[in-house]
Amino acid sequence: MKVLVLGGGGREHVLAWKLSLSPRVDEVWCAPGNAGIARDVRTTPINADSEDGIAEAIRFARDRGIDLTVVGPEAPLVLGVVDRFEEAGLRIFGPNRAAAQLEGSKCFTKEFLARHGIPTASFHVFDEVEAARRHVATRGVPVVVKAEGLAAGKGVFVARTTDEALAAVETIMVERKFGAAGDRLIVEDFLPGFELTLIVLTDGKTAVPLETAQDYKPVFNGNTGPNTGGMGSYSPHVPLDDGLISQALERIIQPTLAGLERDGIEYRGALYAGLMITSKGPSLLEYNVRFGDPEVQSILFRLETDLLDVIEACVDGRLDEVTPRWNPGTAICVIGASPGYPGRYEKGRVIEGLEESAREAEARGDRVKVFFAGAGADAEGRLVTSGGRVLGVTALGDTLDGARECAYRHLRKVGFDGMHARDDIGVPIRVGS
């Protein structure tokens, strides 16, 4: 079987790598991939984040005889890549355009949740900056301010003072840091508790939860500093047999699938629920319509079932036949980022230490892998930085402490000049009170 993975970040690297391990897979392509991903699978410079790019991806899939396409990032999903592929008679994994609104429009999602009685924070929507300013200036804090559209995981601001809330409004609607995503913004109540990521696979009827993960969004230790696309993760966070998971499935996931069906929307693919566990139970912070990154690195590193079998069951509407098996240990992913990220940063810094890390892993029997998000190649063919989040060192251990020790030991060998990484990934963090 030939498989195509759309996207070019760390999420797509782990998906492509994991699929390449399937005994039923003969060939894996990643489009556009990156120079680090190209160390494991074949890549082609096609970017499906535009209408023309989707058309080019369809031509590639036809010409290469691709049997299954797996969509990694959100932008192609919001553009309707699944609809286009299916219209062309091509098999593809991911939600269609209508379902992808759950991530593409926070206003759509909040209104959907309210309409179907699904627990979430109270909210107000603004499309005019002065009205938003007046609202945050007179309400209490803390408060959460969100850009309405896609913002690469960086459009959410937890404001603990009125000045911070006003600054978030300026960033979104005046400075237009997130472009059209800031045409509207949402101001919602801050929910105290602790965060839990729950990713489920669904064929529209059956929802199969993946193992849980803790994500670390802020750039600095102790969950301080501006939000990023994610500085690390570990799995498991909460055991799947914990009552919190059954509550989340019963109160949030299943009502969401039922609500989508009532609204005439079919959802097939990965559904990421960002939850806040409050004193009243789980409440939904956000939905993403794809695997979370870097959570997916630590989650899939523990998956023992053939990922292809799971994805095909989802696409074919027979997910009730699949029960994923998981390694009982702990996996941890630590992100190495460019200095200055999530602000301005330089590109082109040489990434070194991969061979030394590989030799040590072989000698010690370490279960470790480096996944690449922002990696390119220079004129001499060397692997260099090309993004903010550059790489993720992911390790599997029998215990959380063992996984942490392994990941950080290899992170000290692999890197580039000025690389920034949090040193508290794997340390449980509570937010709120």
Side-chain angles (χ1 to χ4, degrees):
M1 177 177 283
K2 296 181 180 180
V3 179
L4 170 65
V5 176
L6 298 182
R11 168 183 44 236
E12 290 73 40
H13 193 173
V14 69
L15 286 169
W17 168 77
K18 196 72 174 180
L19 287 164
S20 74
L21 301 179
S22 170
R24 298 197 293 121
V25 171
D26 304 307
E27 189 173 291
V28 177
W29 288 84
C30 194
N34 63 53
I37 295 175
R39 295 165 63 93
D40 286 325
V41 302
R42 303 173 77 177
T43 62
T44 179
I46 297 172
N47 197 333
D49 63 357
S50 68
E51 296 290 347
D52 289 344
I54 292 172
E56 191 176 358
I58 289 172
R59 287 193 295 270
F60 178 88
R62 282 175 168 163
D63 292 345
R64 289 284 178 174
I66 298 296
D67 300 291
L68 175 68
T69 297
V70 176
V71 187
E74 62 275 18
L77 294 168
V78 172
L79 283 173
V81 64
V82 170
D83 310 66
R84 295 277 300 279
F85 265 66
E86 290 179 342
E87 289 165 4
L90 298 168
R91 296 176 78 222
I92 186 167
F93 171 83
N96 59 30
R97 184 198 297 264
Q101 291 179 93
L102 284 175
E103 181 169 1
S105 170
K106 291 183 178 66
C107 292
F108 169 87
T109 301
K110 296 294 284 191
E111 290 161 359
F112 170 88
L113 297 171
R115 186 166 64 251
H116 293 287
I118 298 167
T120 191
S122 298
F123 67 98
H124 292 83
V125 178
F126 298 93
D127 56 14
E128 200 277 319
V129 65
E130 285 301 330
R133 286 170 175 157
R134 287 195 298 271
H135 179 76
V136 300
T138 57
R139 62 161 296 147
V141 292
V143 67
V144 181
V145 183
K146 298 180 177 180
E148 198 272 340
L150 297 178
K154 305 181 188 72
V156 178
F157 299 83
V158 178
R160 300 187 180 278
T161 67
T162 298
D163 286 345
E164 288 179 357
L166 288 169
V169 172
E170 296 299 304
T171 298
I172 294 169
M173 298 195 81
V174 179
E175 299 171 12
R176 308 289 291 181
K177 181 176 180 180
F178 310 109
D183 287 347
R184 293 192 291 176
L185 63 74
I186 294 174
V187 180
E188 66 181 34
D189 290 349
F190 174 83
L191 297 177
F194 69 93
E195 291 190 48
L196 172 66
T197 294
L198 180 62
I199 302 174
V200 302
L201 295 180
T202 179
D203 57 9
K205 301 289 186 182
T206 301
V208 174
L210 302 183
E211 281 279 7
T212 63
Q214 171 71 67
D215 181 25
Y216 296 74
K217 286 290 187 189
V219 67
F220 299 126
N221 291 349
N223 267 4
T224 59
N227 272 350
T228 70
M231 293 301 294
S233 65
Y234 73 92
S235 173
H237 179 206
V238 174
L240 282 181
D241 60 2
D242 190 285
L244 286 174
I245 303 303
S246 59
Q247 285 184 41
L249 291 170
E250 292 169 8
R251 298 183 186 181
I252 294 176
I253 301 299
Q254 293 295 350
T256 293
L257 296 180
L260 288 169
E261 186 175 18
R262 285 196 295 273
D263 290 352
I265 298 174
E266 181 182 55
Y267 195 110
R268 294 192 181 196
L271 180 62
Y272 170 118
L275 306 172
M276 183 65 77
I277 308 303
T278 72
S279 59
K280 297 179 180 179
S283 184
L284 186 77
L285 295 176
E286 65 174 354
Y287 269 135
N288 292 334
V289 297
R290 33 69 184 185
F291 294 104
D293 180 9
E295 298 98 322
V296 69
Q297 280 127 286
S298 55
I299 291 171
L300 290 187
F301 217 62
R302 296 180 53 227
L303 180 66
E304 294 184 340
T305 303
D306 188 330
L307 179 60
L308 179 64
D309 291 344
V310 181
I311 285 179
E312 284 200 302
C314 190
V315 172
D316 297 339
R318 48 181 179 82
L319 198 55
D320 57 342
E321 301 174 6
V322 174
T323 302
R325 300 183 311 277
W326 301 95
N327 185 289
T330 297
I332 184 170
C333 172
V334 183
I335 297 297
S338 295
Y341 174 78
R344 299 186 59 165
Y345 54 84
E346 294 181 2
K347 300 179 181 180
R349 301 189 180 198
V350 178
I351 300 169
E352 299 177 309
L354 292 169
E355 291 73 18
E356 181 184 355
S357 172
R359 286 193 299 269
E360 176 168 319
E362 184 176 2
R364 296 176 60 111
D366 290 340
R367 295 168 289 180
V368 64
K369 173 77 176 172
V370 181
F371 296 108
F372 289 96
D378 65 10
E380 300 174 33
R382 297 176 300 179
L383 204 61
V384 297
T385 64
S386 65
R389 290 189 301 163
V390 176
L391 56 86
V393 176
T394 303
L396 178 65
D398 294 333
T399 65
L400 175 58
D401 287 344
R404 288 190 79 235
E405 188 279 328
C406 182
Y408 277 103
R409 176 161 37 84
H410 283 271
L411 189 71
R412 289 191 291 270
K413 298 181 182 299
V414 176
F416 49 90
D417 183 39
M419 184 176 75
H420 166 67
R422 285 180 57 162
D423 59 24
D424 63 348
I425 305 301
V427 177
I429 293 179
R430 285 187 77 87
V431 291
S433 56

